[in-house]
Amino acid sequence: MKVTVPQGTTPHFSVGNGEVLGATIVRRSGNDYYYQIHAVGNPGEKTGVYCTFDGQAAQLLCYASVA
């Protein structure tokens, strides 16, 4: 998943339930951050994927399901 952020900010990327999905930063290129999301849970389980910045509430980006 690619997240593009404003210049000078660093995103805090997370999943809602770490028993369903895991997320790892793969690389950064300028203002673009690339994350790999991988299944941890069972098929059919789903959770939210979030991004936040220091001092702000988390923003829901999407829901992801284990296939």
Side-chain angles (χ1 to χ4, degrees):
M1 178 171 269
K2 175 184 166 187
V3 178
T4 302
V5 299
Q7 184 71 26
T9 60
T10 302
H12 301 282
F13 188 85
S14 64
V15 295
N17 184 342
E19 293 182 7
V20 176
L21 298 174
T24 305
I25 187 161
V26 177
R27 70 182 175 102
R28 176 185 173 205
S29 177
N31 293 352
D32 297 329
Y33 290 76
Y34 297 86
Y35 296 89
Q36 179 181 21
I37 299 172
H38 55 275
V40 177
N42 299 311
E45 294 181 317
K46 69 178 180 177
T47 191
V49 178
Y50 298 87
C51 187
T52 188
F53 301 99
D54 290 335
Q56 296 182 1
Q59 298 289 318
L60 176 66
L61 300 177
C62 65
Y63 288 99
S65 300
V66 177

